[in-house]
Amino acid sequence: MNATEIDRLVTNLFSEDTTSPLGEVGLQLLSKHYEPGTDTADARMMVINQRTAVDTTSGATLTDRTTDAQVAVRDLAESRDSAHDHAIFGHGYMTIEETNSMADSFAIIGPLTLLFVLGTLLFAYRDLLDITLGFFGIFLVLLWTFGFMGWAGMTFNQMMIAVPVLLIGLSIDYSIHIVMRYREEQAEDNRSIRDAMRHSVSKVGVALALVTATTAIGFLTNVTSSLPAVQNFGIVSAVGIVSALVIFGAFIPALKIELDSLLERFGFEREKRAVGTDKSRLNWLLMLGVRAARRAPLVVLLTIVLVSAGSAYAGTQVGSSFSEEQFIADDPPEWTESLPDSLAPSNYTVKENLHYIQSNFQSPEKQTTVLIEGAVTTPKTLKQLNKTREKATQSETTYVGPGGEPAVHTPLSLAHQVAHRNKTVNKTLRAADIDNDGVPDRNITAVYDSLFGAAPDQASQLLYRDDGEYKAIRMSISVGGTHAPSHVASETKTIATAAEHDGVTVTVTGGPVVDKELMERVTATVTESLALTIGLVFLLLLVAFRLSGRRATLGGLTLIPTLLSVSWIVGTMYLLDIPFSFTTAVIGSISIGLGIDYAIHITERYSHELTQHSTPWEALTKTVEGTGGALLSSAVTTASGFGVLAFTFLPGLRQFGVITALSIVYAFIASVLVLPSLLILWTQAVGEDLPAGKNNPVEKTTTND
């Protein structure tokens, strides 16, 4: 360009008159603090568009070439202009930081998980061989699961980070129950190693099979979700759960028989006491639920029901959130600065840069549209459109750019802008405006035609015509990037009501509106998967208990403590202000799938002990003493495994870890404190129909026993 051309370009871009097409574009690339007509600004923006074969709107991963190009742009900016600060944002940078943050998170939570697992196994087993077998079984479960992911061609994403934690906790659960029952069998009847293992697997195996089926169902119900990441998470988790049953229900017991037998031949004593069976303070704590059931089971249940009802009501107030910030790493906390270099996380800048851009610039992604179809060439449509624009300019969610002008665009506002520089449009617009109120009263088609003739590119963004006939117009509203999508969508729908009248159809769309629809889909996923999980697990328990020769009502009773714990967890989400999101959408089905584990083990053991003891109290005491310690060890391990996710740098994953850990704690509490009262009341109700005990028939008992 020569000097004259440059002067003309600069004048169009930065003059006080911002009505030209270039002036409007220029304002979009300058901070909202810029004063039109001046030659300084606190920030300016460059937008680079890339062509890619991948449809990024469907959630597909960017290609390496696209991501590398964005990195190259960053390097160019930093190398060519080191005198200014740069805030760089792009989906390629998001992908890189997501990968780095997952690796950094693994580097921290991996050792923590290992520490918790080792500590739990040391507490529960106090035996080097059993600890080694536990770790070996966990390795095989993870190997099978990730091998399946490789064969199925599934991508490892943020949600998949929770899979190994889940499988580690569940594997330890299976291992502890098998080993503790094996130790009980050895101690009680002085059986041989092979007989003790055979009896323990035969007695615990039914419970483990039920646990596997119910837990797998809880995760598989996520395939009903419309979100591919959630579907894959459910499938992979179910495969891992079944793998854990095969390995810890068959392979590890067989291997333990051989190794224990070998060690005994060399003179090593292999009999160990099961945790929780001795008269210790731990045993006293585990028996709290039994003592409460003996004194006042109805009072226990009434209190729990009232608390659960209040918690469930609070859970109905939990909102939903679909925000890309859930998947963007936070800045590492200060305590990470003291970590060794090998564990020190990277610096994450994407979230900070995104906040800056959304707070200071007009973003094309943060835009809503009011689409009007039908009779769009009538004066009434334009008058209603003008009222709609006035409402939009007064909305708190509308972005206000440099000069204090709200970023709202309609065919009418564009016509007035073009009329300032085009005589034909100006003449046509004035001739159509009889009452001089700025809104054409006749010849609307002629106004549109003149607008297309003078500014075809801009007109085509706001007007749609087919074979010369105008069929639709749109009003675009740029919104502030810091507003919640649900609020923006609701505000835009309220604004759009001003455009409604006979002869037209009004539709609201745009990025924030789509995000709100996604939130509703997330909420629907929570409700549907939870309802499906409850229904399938309930039917499975009824059938399983009936086929095993026991009353089907005992199977239905087993589900109640887990349902109570689900109400507690949604109430906790309300108290902690944690919304339903892509990462927490599966919490309902997970709570059922994992929580039912504890109740099944208690109920299964109780139904067996009823046939071995003369009173329900003896059976219940033996149940909690024998199974409670194993359940506690399992709950501590699994909850700790998920709890360490609180140390990740990804907000969504942190919330998922905390909520899942709490759901496991609640399920354990419900099983050892609430379920005993339910079992006693059930026994009192159907005691005459129960099988005879070892010495006397089971009698109905009272709370004064």
Side-chain angles (χ1 to χ4, degrees):
M1 294 183 178
N2 57 37
T4 302
E5 292 171 329
I6 292 176
D7 287 342
R8 185 184 302 117
L9 175 61
V10 171
T11 299
N12 287 332
L13 279 172
F14 306 123
S15 68
E16 293 186 17
D17 181 10
T18 60
T19 59
S20 69
L22 279 178
E24 186 176 344
V25 172
L27 291 183
Q28 293 179 9
L29 299 176
L30 291 170
S31 165
K32 65 180 181 181
H33 305 293
Y34 169 72
E35 292 291 337
T38 63
D39 60 357
T40 59
D42 61 343
R44 62 179 184 269
M45 179 167 64
M46 175 185 291
V47 178
I48 300 175
N49 295 311
Q50 291 176 279
R51 287 194 304 270
T52 174
V54 179
D55 180 14
T56 56
T57 60
S58 65
T61 305
L62 294 176
T63 61
D64 290 340
R65 182 180 182 186
T66 306
T67 302
D68 291 343
Q70 293 190 14
V71 173
V73 169
R74 179 194 63 192
D75 294 341
L76 280 171
E78 292 177 351
S79 64
R80 294 191 179 188
D81 187 2
S82 59
H84 297 90
D85 293 332
H86 296 89
I88 301 175
F89 177 78
H91 289 283
Y93 305 131
M94 287 180 59
T95 301
I96 293 172
E97 284 205 359
E98 178 182 350
T99 302
N100 292 340
S101 62
M102 285 195 293
D104 292 339
S105 297
F106 260 126
I108 292 176
I109 69 175
L112 287 175
T113 304
L114 180 63
L115 183 62
F116 282 124
V117 170
L118 182 59
T120 304
L121 293 182
L122 284 172
F123 166 75
Y125 289 159
R126 292 156 290 177
D127 182 82
L128 180 60
L129 176 61
D130 288 340
I131 292 174
T132 304
L133 287 177
F135 273 103
F136 181 56
I138 291 171
F139 169 75
L140 292 180
V141 171
L142 296 178
L143 183 66
W144 286 21
T145 304
F146 287 108
F148 167 79
M149 285 186 63
W151 286 332
M154 294 182 178
T155 303
F156 191 89
N157 53 38
Q158 288 187 19
M159 288 199 70
M160 291 298 179
I161 293 179
V163 171
V165 177
L166 162 72
L167 297 181
I168 289 172
L170 202 61
S171 296
I172 292 176
D173 175 38
Y174 287 11
S175 177
I176 287 176
H177 281 292
I178 289 288
V179 172
M180 293 305 151
R181 192 56 178 266
Y182 166 73
R183 291 182 177 182
E184 284 189 71
E185 294 294 332
Q186 278 189 311
E188 284 188 6
D189 300 319
N190 199 25
R191 290 191 174 102
S192 67
I193 289 174
R194 190 174 298 273
D195 286 343
M197 183 61 76
R198 182 167 60 249
H199 278 80
S200 64
V201 171
S202 64
K203 292 176 181 178
V204 182
V206 176
L208 292 183
L210 271 177
V211 166
T212 301
T214 53
T215 307
I217 286 174
F219 283 91
L220 282 176
T221 52
N222 290 305
V223 300
T224 61
S225 172
S226 57
L227 311 174
V230 175
Q231 294 173 359
N232 291 341
F233 173 75
I235 294 172
V236 172
S237 298
V239 170
I241 292 164
V242 175
S243 301
L245 176 66
V246 174
I247 291 170
F248 283 96
F251 175 70
I252 294 298
L255 185 58
K256 181 171 173 57
I257 288 174
E258 298 299 328
L259 294 177
D260 277 358
S261 300
L262 179 63
L263 289 174
E264 275 204 347
R265 285 199 293 271
F266 282 97
F268 291 95
E269 176 61 43
R270 294 304 301 153
E271 286 194 16
K272 305 287 182 180
R273 178 176 289 275
V275 66
T277 57
D278 53 347
K279 300 302 180 180
S280 62
R281 181 164 296 185
L282 174 61
N283 176 271
W284 184 87
L285 290 173
L286 291 173
M287 296 300 293
L288 283 175
V290 176
R291 289 195 293 273
R294 192 177 185 91
R295 293 184 177 183
L298 285 176
V299 174
V300 172
L301 292 182
L302 181 60
T303 303
I304 293 298
V305 167
L306 291 176
V307 172
S308 301
S311 184
Y313 174 76
T316 62
Q317 311 302 311
V318 176
S320 56
S321 174
F322 172 71
S323 172
E324 59 188 354
E325 293 188 17
Q326 292 280 322
F327 307 96
I328 304 177
D330 289 325
D331 287 334
E334 292 184 3
W335 61 265
T336 59
E337 297 177 1
S338 59
L339 292 174
D341 292 340
S342 58
L343 296 178
S346 308
N347 291 322
Y348 307 124
T349 60
V350 167
K351 179 173 287 189
E352 180 183 356
N353 292 346
L354 176 62
H355 281 171
Y356 181 83
I357 293 171
Q358 289 181 343
S359 300
N360 291 278
F361 289 91
Q362 180 177 339
S363 173
E365 296 180 352
K366 298 294 182 179
Q367 189 179 87
T368 59
T369 289
V370 177
L371 178 67
I372 303 173
E373 301 172 275
V376 297
T377 57
T378 63
K380 185 175 183 180
T381 297
L382 279 191
K383 290 187 181 297
Q384 295 298 113
L385 178 64
N386 193 50
K387 292 179 180 179
T388 307
R389 183 182 183 279
E390 290 176 357
K391 288 185 66 175
T393 58
Q394 297 169 5
S395 172
E396 62 174 355
T397 62
T398 301
Y399 175 82
V400 178
E405 185 67 23
V408 181
H409 305 286
T410 68
L412 186 57
S413 63
L414 176 63
H416 282 288
Q417 288 180 3
V418 176
H420 280 283
R421 63 180 186 276
N422 187 285
K423 294 181 180 180
T424 302
V425 175
N426 186 40
K427 181 178 178 181
T428 305
L429 188 59
R430 293 181 63 183
D433 185 8
I434 299 175
D435 54 7
N436 294 321
D437 64 350
V439 182
D441 303 293
R442 60 183 180 181
N443 300 331
I444 310 299
T445 301
V447 173
Y448 292 163
D449 288 340
S450 65
L451 192 57
F452 260 102
D457 292 338
Q458 293 174 280
S460 63
Q461 296 179 20
L462 301 172
L463 291 164
Y464 171 67
R465 61 180 178 179
D466 185 22
D467 293 332
E469 182 181 355
Y470 293 95
K471 296 186 176 181
I473 59 178
R474 64 182 286 261
M475 178 178 73
S476 68
I477 309 171
S478 294
V479 299
T482 57
H483 294 289
S486 57
H487 180 47
V488 173
S490 300
E491 187 74 5
T492 305
K493 289 179 180 179
T494 301
I495 292 170
T497 57
E500 296 175 350
H501 66 277
D502 294 338
V504 298
T505 301
V506 180
T507 305
V508 175
T509 186
V513 178
V514 173
D515 287 349
K516 183 176 183 293
E517 296 293 333
L518 286 172
M519 293 181 199
E520 293 174 353
R521 285 169 59 185
V522 167
T523 304
T525 294
V526 174
T527 305
E528 293 169 3
S529 63
L530 181 59
L532 184 60
T533 301
I534 292 173
L536 292 177
V537 169
F538 181 71
L539 289 175
L540 177 63
L541 291 173
L542 292 181
V543 172
F545 275 77
R546 184 61 178 171
L547 291 179
S548 62
R550 291 160 295 178
R551 297 180 68 92
T553 53
L554 187 57
L557 190 77
T558 306
L559 185 60
I560 294 177
T562 309
L563 296 180
L564 295 175
S565 67
V566 171
S567 71
W568 302 345
I569 200 63
V570 293
T572 302
M573 291 179 67
Y574 171 76
L575 293 176
L576 298 180
D577 195 24
I578 296 178
F580 290 117
S581 62
F582 277 172
T583 51
T584 57
V586 297
I587 194 61
S589 57
I590 288 179
S591 297
I592 296 289
L594 291 177
I596 198 68
D597 177 354
Y598 303 96
I600 286 175
H601 282 294
I602 291 286
T603 305
E604 271 287 330
R605 182 68 178 267
Y606 178 72
S607 65
H608 170 73
E609 296 295 342
L610 273 178
T611 64
Q612 306 297 313
H613 298 278
S614 57
T615 68
W617 301 114
E618 292 179 8
L620 190 59
T621 300
K622 183 64 176 177
T623 295
V624 177
E625 282 184 345
T627 305
L631 290 180
L632 176 62
S633 301
S634 172
V636 169
T637 306
T638 311
S640 299
F642 279 103
V644 298
L645 294 177
F647 293 97
T648 65
F649 307 118
L650 301 164
L653 199 58
R654 281 203 304 270
Q655 293 177 353
F656 174 79
V658 170
I659 290 300
T660 306
L662 287 175
S663 71
I664 292 165
V665 173
Y666 291 161
F668 170 76
I669 292 174
S671 296
V672 297
L673 291 184
V674 182
L675 187 53
S677 293
L678 285 170
L679 291 173
I680 287 300
L681 292 174
W682 175 83
T683 305
Q684 292 173 358
V686 301
E688 293 179 355
D689 300 324
L690 293 174
K694 181 181 259 188
N695 302 313
N696 300 301
V698 175
E699 300 176 353
K700 284 190 177 182
T701 58
T702 67
T703 56
N704 294 323
D705 270 346

